[in-house]
C-alpha cells in the first residue's frame, strides 16, 4: 500500500484543509455553540474536600429554587464506569465518597446557568473528612485510608514488572553503570475549548448526546452501561473538539449527568464546564518519579537498562493501567538495548485523576532516558549525536521486549538536525550562558490492541457514491483539530483521482458512522486511513470495470486522475469521473463499499505484550538552543530544530503544523507548565487544591515566548501505513523536554533532572555548583516500592520465543525479585 | 467551581428584568433585549445568535472571545453588554464579504494557522485590528499583538506566517480572497 512509485495528485500537496473554511468564518459548531428548543442548563456541585465520606445530601432547598427543574445526586447512578474495563471505579455523582477537591456530588438542571448556579449553593452536603493522601510517597506509606477498595494493595492501583533477559547479570558485566533519578511534574492539556455536552431525547425517543469527546465509541459503550440502556437506543455525536490532546478521551461525569437529566425531563440539557472545572477534570500527564540504571560499554553501546517508575495517578483509575505500561514499554524502541527490565507502579492520591496526554506515559521516561544519554556521552567524551547514531535500532528489528520496529528514519532525523542546527560548531563550543542540547524519541502509530478486548476491526469506513459524482465517506473517527477529516478526504480523493472538494466527510457519529475507536494513540491516520483505502479500492474496482467496457480497454488499464477516468495507453479513451460513476451505478446498482482495518498481531506472546505494539513507529530528533542567564537562571530559547520521520506527509501544511504544535506543547512542559497542588491553610480547610487553576496562573507559552521552529519532514514511506504515512500528532512533542534540559547543561554546566526546568531550579543548581557540590537539582531518593516479581521473557537474540518463561507445569516462572543496592 | 459552599447562604435576588439597547453589529443596526448581568460575549452568543465568538475562560485570560468594539479589540467576556449601547461591534461573522473570505481568513486556514479552530475567531479579530492600525507589521509586532490570544494547537508560527501574508495581500489591494 506504500505506492512508493506512484505519482500523486493530492497526497503531498499543500491544500486548505476540508474543514478549514468553516473555522475561519465562525460557522463551525462546537458543543457549546449548539442550542435546541426548550433547552435547560446544568451545573455541578463539587466537593470542597479532597477525601471524605458523603454522609448526607439535602437538596430540598435547591429543588424549590425558582427556575430549577431537577436536582440529581449519586442515587441516580448506581452503576460505575471507567474508560478501562479493569478500572470501573467512577460514578457520575459521588455516592458514598469524594476523592478529590472537585469530585462532583450533585447536579442542578435549571432554566438558565444563573439559576442553576444559585441553586447548587442551596444544596447541603454533610461530609466526614478522611485523611488525605497527597503524594505517591504518602500513598505507599499509608495503605489506610484506602482511596479505593480495589487495586493491588493499600493505595497501589497498578503494579507491573517485566524483565527481558538477565539485566542484573548484564549490568554487572558492563564497563560502566549509570544510575540516575528523574522527576517529571504533572501538567494538563489546557484545550482552548472547555468541555461541553448537550443531551436530548430525539423525536424517535432515542437519546442523543452531542459532546466534545475524542472517543465517541468508548463513551457510547459507557453510557449504555451507566444508563442501563441498550446501546442501540443511544447516539453519540462527537462535536468538533476545540483541542483535545488526550483530555477528552475519558468519559466525563458531566456527560452522564446531562444524559440522565434529559431522559428524566424529556428536554434538552446542556452543560459547559468552567475553566476551573476543566483544570479539575484533568486526566492529564502523570507526575512520574523515575530511576534509571543503565549499563554501557566504553565504546558507547548500551548493555542493559533497569527502569523503575512511580506514577501519581490521582483519585481514579482512568487510563492508568495503560499509562503505567507506557512509562516502560516504548523505552527500547529508539536504541539497541540487549536487555531491559521495567518496574512500574501507579498509586492513588486525593487529586484529580491523571490520564492520557499527548505522548501518554512516554514523555516522562523519554526525558530521563535522553538526559541520561547526555550524561553518558559526557562521561565517555563522545558527541551525543554520534553516540545515538551508533546505536539506533535497525529497520524491521525486534526489541528485547518483542516490539517490531518497522521502518525507522531516526538516523536521518539525527543527521538532519545536526546539520541544520550547526550542532558540531556549537555543542560544548558556545560561550558560557549559551548552549545546545539534542534528544530523540519515538511514538506509536496507533495502539495495537483496543481498550476493551475484542477481535473486531479498530476502524471502519463506508463510502457511498451516486450519479451526481458526489462521494460521501462515513467514519467514526473524530476531528479534534488534528485534521482527521482532511486525512480522510485526501486519501479517498487520491485513490479515486478526484479533488477533495468532491468528498463529503461524515464523521464521529455513532448513529451513522461505522466504528472507529477514537482519536487517541496517534492511530487515526494509519487505521482509519487503511480502512478508507480498502473501501476506496473496492469502489474503484467497480468504477474501473464499468469504465473499461465503455473505453474498450481492460479494467487494470484504467487510470483515475484529476477528475478524469481514462485508458493508461490511450488518452483519447477518456471520460469524466461523474460519467464513470453513472456507468458503474447502471452496471452494479447503488455504489457503496466498506473497508476496515485491524492491526497486525504483535510478535510478543507474554501476558502484557499487547501494550506497546503498533503497525509502525514514528521517530523524531530535536536540537534546542538556549541562552541561560547565570545571574537569574532565566532560560531563553531562541530556536529549535526538529526532524520528524513521518513516512509520508499527506498534507505538508498540516503535518508541519502538527510538528510545530507538538514542539510548542513540549517546550511549555519543559519550561513552565505544572498541574501542581497545595494544601490550604488549616484555618481554611487544609484541603489539597490546585495551585494554579486558571489560564493566567497556569503558565503556557504565548506567541512572544515561542521560538522559531525549523521543521524537516523525513519521508520514507512505511508499508503498513496509508501511502506510507505515519503519525505526526504526538511524536514531535517528545524529544523537546530532554533536549531543553541538555541545552541548559551545555549553557551553564548544571543538570536539572526534573521537568519543568525553571529559573529557580537552575539558580539552585548553580549555587550548588559554586559551593563545590553536585551541580544538579532533581530527586534525591526513590522510595521502596513493593514491585511484584517480574514476568521474565527471553529477548529474541537469546533464543526466546516471545512468551514468558514457564516451568514444567506450564505456569510462568517468577524470578525472585532482586532489589538493587545503590 | 462551587467548592467550599456548604453554608447554603441565600444570595441576594438577582435583578432579572431585561434591558434593551441599540447597537451596530457587523454594520447592521440592531435592537436587543437581554438580562442586565450579561457580558458582551453572552449577548453575542445567546441573544444575537452569533456563536462564532468563543469562550475559553470567561475571565479575560485567553483571548478567545476577542471582538472589535468601535474598532478596538476587546475581550468580550469582560465587557458588560449594557455598556455597548450606541456602539459598534464587529465579530468573526462580519469578516467575509458574502461568501468571499477576508484575506486574513484565507491566509489563516491556507497556511495552517487554524487547527482546532477554537482560538481562530479571536485571533482573526485581533489581527484585523492590528492590520488596520499597522498595515505592515514586523513578525515581532505580530507576535506582540497576538500575545494575549492563547492557541494550544499551532505553536503560533503558522499564525504569524498567515498574518504576515495577509498583510502583504491587503497592502497589494486584494481586499478579499476566495
Amino acid at each position: 500500500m506504500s505506492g512508493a512509485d506512484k505519482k500523486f495528485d493530492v497526497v503531498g500537496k499543500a491544500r486548505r484543509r476540508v474543514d478549514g473554511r468553516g473555522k475561519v468564518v465562525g460557522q463551525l459548531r462546537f458543543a457549546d455553540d449548539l442550542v435546541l428548543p426548550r433547552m435547560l442548563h446544568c451545573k455541578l456541585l463539587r466537593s470542597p474536600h479532597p477525601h471524605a465520606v458523603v454522609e448526607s445530601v439535602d437538596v430540598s432547598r435547591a429543588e424549590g429554587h425558582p427556575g430549577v427543574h431537577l436536582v440529581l445526586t449519586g442515587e441516580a447512578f448506581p452503576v460505575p464506569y471507567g474508560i478501562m474495563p479493569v478500572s470501573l471505579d467512577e460514578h457520575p455523582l459521588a455516592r458514598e465518597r469524594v476523592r478529590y477537591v472537585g469530585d462532583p456530588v450533585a447536579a442542578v438542571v435549571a432554566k438558565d446557568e444563573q439559576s442553576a448556579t444559585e441553586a447548587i449553593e442551596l444544596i447541603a452536603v454533610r461530609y466526614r473528612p478522611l485523611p488525605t493522601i497527597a503524594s505517591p510517597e504518602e500513598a505507599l506509606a499509608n495503605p489506610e485510608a484506602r482511596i479505593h477498595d480495589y487495586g493491588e494493595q493499600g493505595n497501589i492501583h497498578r503494579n507491573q514488572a517485566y524483565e527481558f533477559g538477565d539485566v542484573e547479570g548484564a549490568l554487572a558485566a558492563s564497563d560502566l553503570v549509570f544510575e540516575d533519578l528523574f522527576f517529571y511534574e504533572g501538567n494538563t492539556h489546557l484545550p482552548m475549548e472547555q468541555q461541553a455536552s448537550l443531551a436530548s431525547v430525539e423525536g424517535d425517543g432515542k437519546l442523543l448526546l452531542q459532546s466534545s469527546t475524542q472517543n465517541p465509541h468508548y463513551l457510547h459503550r459507557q453510557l449504555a452501561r451507566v444508563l442501563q440502556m441498550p446501546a442501540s437506543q443511544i447516539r453519540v455525536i462527537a462535536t468538533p473538539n476545540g483541542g483535545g490532546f488526550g483530555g477528552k478521551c475519558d468519559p466525563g461525569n458531566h456527560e452522564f449527568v446531562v444524559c440522565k437529566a434529559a431522559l428524566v425531563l424529556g428536554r434538552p440539557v446542556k452543560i459547559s464546564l468552567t475553566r476551573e472545572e476543566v483544570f479539575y477534570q484533568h486526566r492529564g500527564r502523570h507526575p512520574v518519579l523515575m530511576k534509571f540504571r543503565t549499563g554501557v560499554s566504553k565504546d558507547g553501546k548500551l548493555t542493559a537498562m533497569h527502569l523503575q517508575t512511580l506514577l501519581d495517578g490521582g483519585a481514579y483509575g482512568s487510563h492508568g493501567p495503560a499509562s503505567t505500561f507506557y512509562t516502560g514499554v516504548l523505552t527500547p524502541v529508539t536504541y539497541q538495548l540487549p536487555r531491559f527490565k521495567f518496574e512500574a507502579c501507579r498509586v492513588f492520591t486525593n487529586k484529580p485523576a491523571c490520564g492520557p496526554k499527548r505522548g501518554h506515559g512516554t514523555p516522562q521516561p523519554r526525558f530521563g532516558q535522553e538526559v541520561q544519554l547526555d550524561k553518558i556521552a559526557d562521561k565517555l567524551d563522545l558527541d551525543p549525536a554520534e553516540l545515538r547514531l551508533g546505536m539506533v535500532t535497525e529497520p524491521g528489528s525486534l526489541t528485547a521486549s518483542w516490539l517490531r520496529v518497522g521502518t525507522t528514519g531516526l538516523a536521518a532525523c539525527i543527521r538532519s538536525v545536526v546539520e541544520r542546527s550547526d550542532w558540531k560548531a556549537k555543542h560544548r563550543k558556545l560561550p558560557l550562558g549559551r548552549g545546545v542540547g539534542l534528544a530523540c524519541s519515538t511514538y506509536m502509530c496507533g495502539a495495537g490492541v483496543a481498550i476493551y478486548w475484542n477481535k473486531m476491526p479498530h476502524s471502519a469506513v463506508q463510502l457511498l457514491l451516486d450519479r451526481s459524482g458526489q462521494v460521501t465517506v462515513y467514519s467514526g473517527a473524530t476531528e479534534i483539530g488534528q485534521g482527521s477529516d482532511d486525512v480522510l478526504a485526501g486519501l479517498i480523493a487520491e485513490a479515486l483521482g478526484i479533488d477533495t472538494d468532491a468528498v463529503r466527510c461524515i464523521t464521529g457519529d455513532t448513529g451513522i458512522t461505522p466504528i472507529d475507536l477514537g482519536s487517541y494513540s496517534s492511530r487515526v491516520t494509519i487505521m482509519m486511513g487503511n480502512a478508507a483505502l480498502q473501501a476506496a479500492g473496492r469502489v474503484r474496482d467497480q468504477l474501473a470495470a464499468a469504465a473499461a467496457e465503455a473505453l474498450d480497454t481492460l479494467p487494470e488499464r484504467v487510470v483515475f486522475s484529476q477528475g478524469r477516468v481514462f485508458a493508461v495507453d490511450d488518452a483519447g479513451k477518456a471520460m469524466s469521473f461523474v460519467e464513470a460513476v453513472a456507468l458503474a451505478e447502471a452496471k452494479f446498482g447503488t455504489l457503496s463499499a466498506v473497508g476496515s482495518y485491524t492491526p497486525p498481531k504483535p510478535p510478543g506472546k507474554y501476558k502484557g505484550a499487547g501494550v506497546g505494539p503498533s503497525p509502525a513507529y514514528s521517530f523524531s530528533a530535536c536540537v534546542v538552543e538556549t541562552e541561560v542567564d547565570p545571574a537569574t537562571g532565566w532560560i531563553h530559547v531562541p530556536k529549535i530544530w526538529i526532524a520528524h520521520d513521518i513516512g509520508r506527509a499527506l498534507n505538508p501544511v498540516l503535518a508541519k503544523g502538527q510538528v510545530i504544535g507538538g514542539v510548542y506543547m513540549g517546550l511549555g512542559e519543559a519550561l513552565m507548565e505544572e498541574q501542581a497542588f497545595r494544601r490550604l491553610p488549616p484555618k481554611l480547610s487544609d484541603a489539597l487544591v490546585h495551585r494554579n487553576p486558571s489560564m493566567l496562573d497556569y503558565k503556557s507559552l504565548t506567541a512572544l515566548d515561542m521560538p522559531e521552529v525549523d521543521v524537516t519532514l523525513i519521508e520514507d514511506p512505511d508499508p503498513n501505513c496509508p501511502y506510507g504515512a505515519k503519525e505526526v500528532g504526538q511524536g514531535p512533542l517528545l524529544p523537546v523536554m530532554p533536549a531543553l534540559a541538555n541545552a541548559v547543561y551545555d549553557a551553564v554546566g548544571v543538570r536539572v533532572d526534573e521537568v519543568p526546568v525553571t529559573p529557580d531550579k537552575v539558580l539552585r543548581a548553580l549555587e550548588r555548583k559554586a559551593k563545590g557540590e553536585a551541580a544538579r537539582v532533581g530527586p534525591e531518593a526513590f522510595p521502596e516500592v513493593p514491585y511484584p516479581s517480574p514476568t521474565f521473557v527471553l529477548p529474541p537474540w537469546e533464543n526466546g520465543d516471545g512468551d514468558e518463561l514457564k516451568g514444567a507445569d506450564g505456569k510462568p516462572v517468577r524470578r525472585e525479585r532482586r532489589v538493587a543496592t545503590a | 467551581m462551587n467548592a467550599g459552599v456548604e453554608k447554603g447562604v441565600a444570595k441576594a435576588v438577582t435583578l432579572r428584568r431585561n434591558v434593551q439597547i441599540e447597537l451596530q453589529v457587523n454594520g447592521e443596526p440592531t435592537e436587543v433585549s437581554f438580562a442586565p448581568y450579561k457580558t458582551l460575549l453572552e449577548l453575542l452568543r445567546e441573544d444575537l445568535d452569533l456563536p462564532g465568538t468563543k469562550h475559553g475562560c470567561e475571565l479575560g485570560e485567553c483571548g478567545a472571545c476577542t471582538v472589535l468594539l468601535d474598532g478596538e479589540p476587546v475581550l468580550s467576556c469582560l465587557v458588560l453588554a449594557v455598556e455597548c449601547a450606541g456602539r459598534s461591534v464587529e465579530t468573526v461573522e462580519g469578516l467575509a464579504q458574502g461568501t468571499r473570505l477576508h484575506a486574513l481568513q484565507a491566509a489563516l486556514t491556507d497556511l495552517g494557522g487554524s487547527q482546532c479552530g477554537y482560538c481562530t475567531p479571536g485571533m482573526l479579530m485581533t489581527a484585523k485590528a492590528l492590520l488596520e492600525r499597522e498595515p505592515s507589521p514586523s513578525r515581532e509586532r505580530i507576535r506582540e499583538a497576538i500575545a494575549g490570544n492563547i492557541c494550544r494547537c499551532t505553536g503560533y508560527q503558522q499564525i504569524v506566517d498567515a498574518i504576515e501574508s495577509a498583510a502583504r495581500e491587503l497592502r497589494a489591494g486584494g481586499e478579499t480572497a476566495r
Side-chain angles (χ1 to χ4, degrees):
Chain A
M1 223 175 267
S2 73
D5 51 355
K6 189 179 182 308
K7 284 197 103 167
F8 292 110
D9 289 340
V10 178
V11 165
K13 307 276 196 303
R15 281 181 298 104
R16 176 180 299 178
R17 55 192 292 165
V18 294
D19 57 349
R21 191 178 185 284
K23 290 173 179 175
V24 294
V25 296
Q27 274 186 302
L28 189 75
R29 290 289 171 262
F30 296 93
D32 195 36
D33 300 338
L34 302 174
V35 174
L36 287 172
R38 303 178 71 232
M39 186 173 85
L40 300 170
H41 297 265
C42 179
K43 282 279 176 189
L44 301 176
L45 175 70
R46 293 171 180 271
S47 167
H49 296 282
H51 198 191
V53 172
V54 179
E55 293 194 323
S56 67
V57 185
D58 179 357
V59 301
S60 52
R61 290 181 65 210
E63 283 176 333
H65 190 70
V68 170
H69 288 254
L70 181 68
V71 182
L72 290 171
T73 66
E75 277 176 38
F77 300 100
V79 181
Y81 69 92
I83 182 78
M84 306 204 73
V86 292
S87 285
L88 300 167
D89 61 2
E90 297 187 62
H91 289 271
L93 298 171
R95 287 169 68 78
E96 288 116 25
R97 191 89 79 89
V98 287
R99 296 180 171 90
Y100 68 97
V101 169
D103 215 351
V105 178
V108 171
V109 179
K111 69 181 172 76
D112 51 33
E113 277 194 308
Q114 183 68 26
S115 305
T117 304
E118 289 160 10
I120 53 171
E121 299 188 9
L122 302 176
I123 298 171
V125 184
R126 206 165 72 223
Y127 297 99
R128 180 163 55 81
L130 295 169
T132 302
I133 305 287
S135 69
E137 288 78 6
E138 285 183 29
L140 291 171
N142 299 286
E144 305 286 339
R146 228 180 155 193
I147 295 173
H148 287 281
D149 57 7
Y150 82 105
E152 309 276 359
Q153 64 187 70
N155 281 309
I156 295 180
H157 174 215
R158 298 293 278 191
N159 217 346
Q160 298 157 353
Y162 290 86
E163 184 169 7
F164 305 97
D166 178 4
V167 165
E168 288 303 325
L171 288 176
S174 300
D175 294 335
L176 288 160
V177 176
F178 289 77
E179 182 173 318
D180 290 283
L181 297 179
F182 298 97
F183 177 65
Y184 199 111
E185 181 58 284
N187 53 58
T188 200
H189 321 84
L190 200 73
M192 290 306 295
E193 178 209 23
Q194 300 137 288
Q195 280 92 332
S197 306
L198 170 57
S200 56
V201 177
E202 292 194 283
D204 58 9
K206 295 189 176 81
L207 176 67
L208 167 64
L209 176 66
Q210 302 180 80
S211 192
S212 45
T213 174
Q214 296 180 230
N215 297 344
H217 172 63
Y218 293 137
L219 176 58
H220 188 212
R221 288 170 56 85
Q222 294 294 314
L223 285 173
R225 179 187 162 80
V226 168
L227 301 170
Q228 296 176 279
M229 287 169 66
S232 60
Q233 301 300 303
I234 303 171
R235 176 181 177 191
V236 178
I237 296 176
T239 50
N241 286 204
F245 317 115
K248 296 165 183 171
C249 283
D250 275 51
N253 308 60
H254 58 281
E255 291 172 312
F256 299 98
V257 169
V258 291
C259 285
K260 183 76 184 179
L263 287 166
V264 171
L265 296 168
R267 290 179 68 168
V269 179
K270 182 159 87 174
I271 191 166
S272 179
L273 300 191
T274 65
R275 178 53 63 182
E276 190 178 15
E277 286 181 294
V278 175
F279 276 100
Y280 279 89
Q281 173 70 18
H282 189 44
R283 315 289 154 143
R285 188 83 75 224
H286 284 75
V288 181
L289 182 64
M290 295 161 277
K291 180 175 175 179
F292 284 79
R293 293 167 62 234
T294 305
V296 287
S297 62
K298 276 186 213 141
D299 60 345
K301 300 275 190 258
L302 300 178
T303 56
M305 179 191 288
H306 177 198
L307 166 62
Q308 292 174 304
T309 66
L310 176 59
L311 296 80
D312 183 346
Y316 290 99
S318 179
H319 286 70
S323 317
T324 312
F325 268 110
Y326 283 128
T327 63
V329 293
L330 295 193
T331 309
V333 176
T334 41
Y335 310 115
Q336 294 171 29
L337 180 62
R339 289 180 182 173
F340 176 53
K341 175 178 177 180
F342 79 89
E343 296 172 303
C345 176
R346 182 181 193 262
V347 295
F348 289 123
T349 56
N350 293 117
K351 295 186 270 192
C354 297
K357 183 187 171 193
R358 210 171 191 176
H360 192 189
T362 74
Q364 299 96 327
R366 197 67 67 196
F367 170 75
Q369 182 186 18
E370 290 288 323
V371 172
Q372 191 182 48
L373 276 179
D374 205 60
K375 297 182 184 186
I376 291 170
D378 207 40
K379 178 93 177 175
L380 297 179
D381 203 19
L382 291 170
D383 179 283
E386 295 301 325
L387 172 78
R388 287 168 170 87
L389 281 170
M391 60 186 190
V392 293
T393 45
E394 296 286 332
S397 62
L398 287 166
T399 66
S401 53
W402 293 83
L403 297 182
R404 171 76 66 196
V405 179
T407 56
T408 166
L410 181 53
C413 288
I414 297 171
R415 289 193 190 99
S416 166
V417 292
V418 161
E419 188 195 320
R420 295 183 69 85
S421 69
D422 204 9
W423 167 264
K424 288 190 193 301
K426 290 178 178 171
H427 184 248
R428 300 287 186 267
K429 296 187 181 76
L430 291 171
L432 178 70
R434 288 181 59 200
V436 286
L438 181 143
C440 303
S441 65
T442 182
Y443 202 67
M444 303 177 295
C445 298
V449 176
I451 277 182
Y452 62 98
W453 193 88
N454 74 88
K455 288 182 170 176
M456 292 174 279
H458 288 216
S459 190
V461 166
Q462 185 179 12
L463 270 178
L464 189 61
L465 284 69
D466 71 40
R467 62 199 77 174
S468 69
Q470 171 176 283
V471 176
T472 309
V473 54
Y474 301 87
S475 159
T478 305
E479 177 59 68
I480 60 169
Q482 84 282 44
S484 65
D485 280 8
D486 192 71
V487 167
L488 185 59
L491 292 173
I492 298 291
E494 181 65 53
L496 297 180
I498 53 177
D499 193 87
T500 50
D501 258 3
V503 182
R504 184 185 300 276
C505 295
I506 296 176
T507 55
D509 180 339
T510 68
I512 296 177
T513 57
I515 285 167
D516 175 274
L517 295 180
S519 284
Y520 68 95
S521 82
S522 272
R523 53 177 296 290
V524 175
T525 292
I526 291 81
M527 301 203 190
M528 173 197 72
N530 280 331
L533 287 186
Q534 187 180 59
R538 288 170 175 169
V539 163
R540 196 174 183 277
D541 286 348
Q542 292 184 308
L543 296 173
E549 274 180 13
L551 298 174
D552 193 22
T553 185
L554 296 168
E556 54 271 24
R557 305 191 74 76
V558 174
V559 177
F560 296 72
S561 180
Q562 296 175 32
R564 303 289 293 166
V565 179
F566 51 92
V568 66
D569 43 8
D570 185 352
K573 293 179 174 179
M575 66 179 73
S576 70
F577 177 76
V578 183
E579 289 169 312
V581 172
L583 287 173
E585 192 176 335
K587 184 176 171 66
F588 297 107
T590 301
L591 293 176
S592 176
V594 291
S596 58
Y597 179 76
T598 307
K601 248 179 102 90
K605 290 179 277 194
Y606 57 91
K607 190 170 183 293
V611 188
S614 178
Y617 297 90
S618 75
F619 293 87
S620 313
C622 176
V623 169
V624 172
E625 186 163 338
T626 54
E627 294 165 8
V628 183
D629 183 343
T632 62
W634 188 258
I635 302 161
H636 174 65
V637 177
K639 192 161 178 179
I640 293 178
W641 296 262
I642 184 160
H644 180 71
D645 162 26
I646 193 172
R648 188 188 298 283
L650 296 176
N651 183 341
V653 177
L654 268 63
K656 204 177 153 197
Q658 286 297 310
V659 176
I660 301 168
V663 168
Y664 152 83
M665 198 165 273
L667 190 62
E669 294 193 20
L671 291 173
M672 57 186 74
E673 293 193 30
E674 286 183 274
Q675 170 103 350
F677 294 81
R678 66 187 172 93
R679 276 184 191 278
L680 289 177
K683 65 175 178 183
L684 286 177
S685 70
D686 205 24
L688 195 62
V689 295
H690 198 298
R691 205 188 286 165
N692 44 16
S694 79
M695 294 183 91
L696 195 63
D697 295 323
Y698 181 92
K699 299 297 179 199
S700 66
L701 296 165
T702 70
L704 275 177
D705 307 312
M706 188 61 196
E708 184 193 341
V709 182
D710 176 278
V711 179
T712 303
L713 297 173
I714 304 291
E715 298 192 71
D716 174 17
D718 187 291
N720 283 347
C721 300
Y723 296 120
K726 302 196 210 180
E727 76 89 35
V728 64
Q730 305 194 57
L733 175 148
L734 305 168
V736 179
M737 296 75 69
L740 180 279
N742 292 341
V744 167
Y745 177 73
D746 192 43
V748 289
V750 298
R751 293 285 179 191
V752 179
D753 289 340
E754 211 175 276
V755 164
V757 181
T758 51
D760 58 308
K761 292 174 190 169
V762 173
L763 267 190
R764 212 163 354 120
L766 284 168
E767 282 162 15
R768 285 181 185 174
K769 189 182 179 189
K771 281 191 235 162
E773 299 168 13
R776 170 186 181 270
V777 164
E780 304 287 344
F782 195 91
E784 184 56 36
V785 181
Y787 294 114
S789 301
T791 297
F792 189 83
V793 182
L794 282 170
W797 41 85
E798 295 184 33
N799 297 320
D801 61 359
D803 207 346
E804 59 203 90
L805 216 56
K806 287 179 180 145
D809 57 357
K811 289 188 179 156
V813 174
R814 296 287 167 170
R815 285 162 63 89
E816 205 172 306
R817 186 168 173 254
R818 282 183 278 182
V819 179
T821 45
Chain B
M1 197 168 69
N2 305 287
V5 182
E6 279 178 279
K7 306 173 290 292
V9 180
K11 291 197 62 160
V13 177
T14 312
L15 183 64
R16 288 169 192 282
R17 189 167 298 160
N18 277 1
V19 293
Q20 188 163 336
I21 63 167
E22 287 174 34
L23 72 169
Q24 291 269 327
V25 180
N26 293 326
E28 291 174 30
T30 305
E31 218 179 299
V32 61
S33 158
F34 58 94
Y37 58 77
K38 287 197 174 184
T39 62
L40 174 57
L41 170 69
E42 291 166 324
L43 179 73
L44 292 168
R45 290 178 54 82
E46 297 169 8
D47 299 280
L48 290 171
D49 204 16
L50 292 169
T53 301
K54 306 304 177 199
H55 57 81
C57 66
E58 292 163 273
L59 293 166
E61 298 174 348
C62 76
C65 68
T66 306
V67 299
L68 303 188
L69 184 59
D70 295 333
E72 287 297 315
V74 296
L75 300 170
S76 62
C77 73
L78 294 186
V79 176
L80 207 54
V82 289
E83 292 179 307
C84 298
R87 302 174 77 177
S88 162
V89 178
E90 289 169 72
T91 72
V92 68
E93 287 94 342
L95 266 184
Q97 291 191 356
T99 57
R100 295 180 67 199
L101 299 185
H102 186 280
L104 276 166
Q105 291 173 307
L108 204 69
T109 184
D110 288 340
L111 299 181
S114 171
Q115 284 187 26
C116 83
Y118 201 81
C119 75
T120 298
M123 201 66 85
L124 283 167
M125 300 318 288
T126 302
K128 179 168 190 271
L130 170 71
L131 297 191
E132 278 170 4
R133 248 185 355 255
E134 297 178 43
S136 42
S138 64
R139 286 181 76 83
E140 195 54 24
R141 280 292 298 136
I142 295 171
R143 286 181 194 279
E144 279 173 25
I146 63 168
N149 293 73
I150 297 179
C151 167
R152 288 292 282 174
C153 295
T154 62
Y156 304 106
Q157 190 159 312
Q158 290 174 316
I159 294 176
V160 176
D161 293 346
I163 295 172
E164 210 178 18
S165 161
R168 267 196 304 274
E169 185 163 332
L170 289 168
R171 286 198 305 274
E175 262 304 306
T176 55
R178 70 193 161 86

